[in-house]
Amino acid sequence: MASRTKEREKHQIQFISTPIYSKDKEKPPYTRFVCISTLSKKSLTVTSLLVLLFTFLYLFLSPTSFQSPYSIGLTQTQANSTCDGIAPFYIYDLPARFTTDLVDRCQFLNIYVNTCPHVVNQGLGQPVTSKLGPSWYGTNEFLSDMLFHARAKKHPCRVHDIDAAKLFYVPFYAGLYASFAFREGNHTLRDQLAVELVSYLSNKPTFRKHGGRDHFLVAGRTSWDFMRISDPNIADFGANRLLYLPELADVAVLTIERHPWEGKNQFGIPYPSYFHPKTADEVVMWQNKVLGSKRPYLYAFVGGARVASEKAVVRAEIINKCSASKQCAQVTCKTGTIGCYDPAKVLATLRGAQFCLQPPGLSFTRRSTFDSILAGCIPVFFSEHSAYTQYEWYIPNEARNWSVLLDQKKAEQIEEELGKIPLKEVESMRKEVVRMIPQVTYAHPDSTKPGFRDAVDIALVQLTERVGRALEQEQTAVRVD
């Protein structure tokens, strides 16, 4: 019997998991599987040959793994269990004024654009009617709070027993609140909903237990929209004071742009883009598609001009340079035009270029950064605060492995600077960018187990680690006292 067991072990196919990308090398958020055979030369029988042949055909000739000659084996799965590294989390059932009432006021959220078409489908927006496929939506860049909530509600790591939770999610639609309150001139009224939220939380025993250290909320706009400074010499652009309320000082705030200097409890999460896959197969097919894209242009820019700021000078230089160059593809954003809001047009432009320029806009960060990653286009930044100090949870440790940072003074020499980068290095950077696609993507909320870890999963892993450290420090402080 023992000899038969040993014989079977000779023919066993092993699957070795290797990390694609992770901050913590010991706990990769997802892995790729490499098939190797442990067959010895002496035991290479007809049966083993058939096994190897079947494995080869499955891995290399299946439609999801053999898409282009540039394929780099990006099939991604979750490590061991869906909830590995993710603490059981509880979602507060907030009063409607903090969530659905804000959605119902969609027609009042923006005086320039009707927001109602964007908040449908759980925040995904309207389906894109193009050749992109069924998992593409015209998602608004400021709805990460709605998307996160929709995904979390059906997440397998969610618990409904509050006593079983280690992590607590406050699903306040802060971005919608900020949009709605922008035009309120009375500061007391503008801050009212934020103050009411803090009052609601302060009465919860679960919040008081650790002072909010094990709680988090998602803000669908930049941190600047929640950090109004009480200084008469500083222009009031409509911000509220949510993130300056002392009760939230230890609550983790996930935002599409954190304050680079004051945001100690702020953590950058990706802007939503257009792709919301339900399965890992969809991700792999798209990754291989963008790897095989023909890119006749050296660089591309999708955006519009800005006024009255240092950032406006860089933008103007880029727009002028791009307009005059045959090496640049451009989509200009102007009031009354829809080019910048056409996912198919934006993605086609970015997929046709080697590099995508990401100058700061009204603030440091841009949704276009994540559109370019989705298109396999290497981002070119002009400030470290456009990505490197923002999205530590989601980007590789070495910035030069996936992006380019140019001094703003070199905006005039973009073509010369990008042209210096060797083709082999460009190809390596692109592969790294394409590897990042799953972790900066918001999976479809209806997919409870998509088979890859998306932006929400990555955040939950990092929040779990943060809470663990915070509570350990708290216990240490108690023992010292």
Side-chain angles (χ1 to χ4, degrees):
M1 190 70 177
S3 62
R4 290 183 181 179
T5 301
K6 292 181 179 179
E7 187 66 22
R8 282 197 298 269
E9 289 175 351
K10 291 180 182 179
H11 298 277
Q12 185 180 2
I13 301 296
Q14 293 182 345
F15 288 88
I16 306 299
S17 61
T18 58
I20 286 183
Y21 171 69
S22 172
K23 288 286 180 185
D24 186 346
K25 301 303 181 184
E26 299 299 321
K27 297 180 179 179
Y30 39 74
T31 59
R32 88 179 145 170
F33 287 96
V34 182
C35 178
I36 65 170
S37 171
T38 57
L39 295 171
S40 65
K41 291 183 180 180
K42 293 181 180 180
S43 63
L44 201 59
T45 65
V46 174
T47 302
S48 62
L49 285 173
L50 288 173
V51 172
L52 285 173
L53 179 60
F54 175 82
T55 303
F56 174 84
L57 291 173
Y58 178 78
L59 290 178
F60 298 101
L61 298 183
S62 65
T64 58
S65 60
F66 184 69
Q67 292 293 325
S68 83
Y70 305 102
S71 178
I72 51 177
L74 296 176
T75 304
Q76 288 144 1
T77 65
Q78 294 181 350
N80 299 324
S81 171
T82 304
C83 292
D84 273 4
I86 298 178
F89 66 90
Y90 178 83
I91 304 177
Y92 282 104
D93 185 15
L94 297 181
R97 66 183 184 276
F98 298 117
T99 54
T100 54
D101 283 357
L102 292 167
V103 176
D104 292 341
R105 296 175 184 176
C106 57
Q107 69 270 31
F108 304 114
L109 295 178
N110 192 314
I111 61 174
Y112 305 106
V113 179
N114 180 10
T115 310
C116 294
H118 298 293
V119 298
V120 300
N121 293 320
Q122 306 174 83
L124 295 173
Q126 300 290 342
V128 174
T129 55
S130 70
K131 295 181 180 179
L132 287 173
S135 294
W136 296 80
Y137 295 80
T139 307
N140 185 275
E141 61 189 294
F142 297 126
L143 290 178
S144 58
D145 38 18
M146 281 192 71
L147 287 173
F148 200 108
H149 188 204
R151 176 96 166 84
K153 283 192 291 187
K154 297 181 181 179
H155 199 283
C157 307
R158 177 191 181 183
V159 293
H160 295 273
D161 178 2
I162 196 169
D163 294 326
K166 301 296 183 184
L167 189 61
F168 300 86
Y169 172 27
V170 183
F172 176 40
Y173 291 171
L176 297 187
Y177 153 60
S179 297
F180 183 76
F182 268 142
R183 298 181 299 281
E184 176 55 65
N186 185 309
H187 287 177
T188 300
L189 293 178
R190 189 190 301 171
D191 297 338
Q192 182 176 342
L193 198 59
V195 173
E196 289 179 4
L197 176 74
V198 166
S199 176
Y200 172 87
L201 290 174
S202 298
N203 288 322
K204 295 292 182 183
T206 45
F207 186 84
R208 295 198 302 267
K209 183 177 181 180
H210 298 294
R213 293 179 182 84
D214 49 1
H215 285 57
F216 73 95
L217 60 84
V218 181
R221 298 189 67 96
T222 69
S223 60
W224 312 96
D225 295 331
F226 308 97
M227 302 178 72
R228 186 182 70 252
I229 299 174
S230 299
D231 186 338
N233 297 317
I234 298 178
D236 178 8
F237 63 88
N240 59 70
R241 289 184 58 80
L242 175 69
L243 299 188
Y244 278 143
L245 297 179
E247 294 86 350
L248 299 182
D250 291 319
V251 173
V253 178
L254 313 188
T255 173
I256 52 176
E257 178 173 330
R258 62 182 296 274
H259 194 300
W261 306 285
E262 297 181 19
K264 70 178 183 64
N265 67 323
Q266 300 169 16
F267 304 92
I269 59 174
Y271 280 80
S273 192
Y274 308 110
F275 188 36
H276 304 285
K278 291 184 178 180
T279 67
D281 284 349
E282 289 182 79
V283 177
V284 174
M285 291 179 70
W286 177 254
Q287 287 175 307
N288 285 305
K289 189 171 185 177
V290 295
L291 278 174
S293 296
K294 295 181 180 179
R295 301 180 184 270
Y297 295 97
L298 177 63
Y299 63 107
F301 175 65
V302 176
R306 294 289 182 266
V307 295
S309 71
E310 182 181 346
K311 303 183 184 100
V313 177
V314 178
R315 282 237 175 177
E317 183 63 43
I318 286 173
I319 291 173
N320 292 336
K321 186 79 174 178
C322 189
S323 299
S325 175
K326 294 182 179 180
Q327 296 191 70
C328 181
Q330 186 175 12
V331 177
T332 303
C333 303
K334 295 181 180 179
T335 303
T337 62
I338 62 172
C340 282
Y341 303 100
D342 181 348
K345 183 174 183 178
V346 170
L347 267 295
T349 301
L350 301 180
R351 283 178 59 193
Q354 301 284 357
F355 299 92
C356 290
L357 308 186
Q358 307 298 340
L362 296 176
S363 60
F364 288 114
T365 63
R366 303 184 72 214
R367 179 235 184 90
S368 181
T369 295
F370 298 96
D371 291 342
S372 67
I373 292 173
L374 184 60
C377 188
I378 301 166
V380 179
F381 300 114
F382 298 84
S383 168
E384 63 177 337
H385 301 309
S386 291
Y388 308 143
T389 63
Q390 298 288 340
Y391 309 110
E392 182 181 354
W393 291 354
Y394 296 91
I395 61 178
N397 293 319
E398 290 293 333
R400 63 184 180 181
N401 288 349
W402 68 282
S403 63
V404 176
L405 178 64
L406 291 181
D407 189 295
Q408 293 188 10
K409 297 177 181 178
K410 292 187 177 181
E412 298 180 359
Q413 297 140 13
I414 291 172
E415 293 180 9
E416 292 82 353
E417 292 298 319
L418 297 181
K420 293 178 183 178
I421 304 175
L423 180 59
K424 186 176 181 180
E425 189 173 333
V426 172
E427 292 176 349
S428 176
M429 294 166 71
R430 184 172 339 284
K431 289 179 180 180
E432 191 64 41
V433 168
V434 173
R435 285 190 180 99
M436 295 167 63
I437 290 175
Q439 64 212 44
V440 300
T441 295
Y442 291 85
H444 197 289
D446 291 341
S447 180
T448 57
K449 295 182 179 180
F452 65 95
R453 283 198 158 165
D454 71 340
V456 172
D457 289 316
I458 300 299
L460 290 172
V461 169
Q462 296 294 334
L463 287 166
T464 297
E465 293 182 3
R466 177 182 182 272
V467 169
R469 291 192 298 269
L471 297 188
E472 184 178 349
Q473 291 172 2
E474 183 180 286
Q475 293 171 359
T476 302
V478 170
R479 286 196 294 267
V480 170
D481 292 341

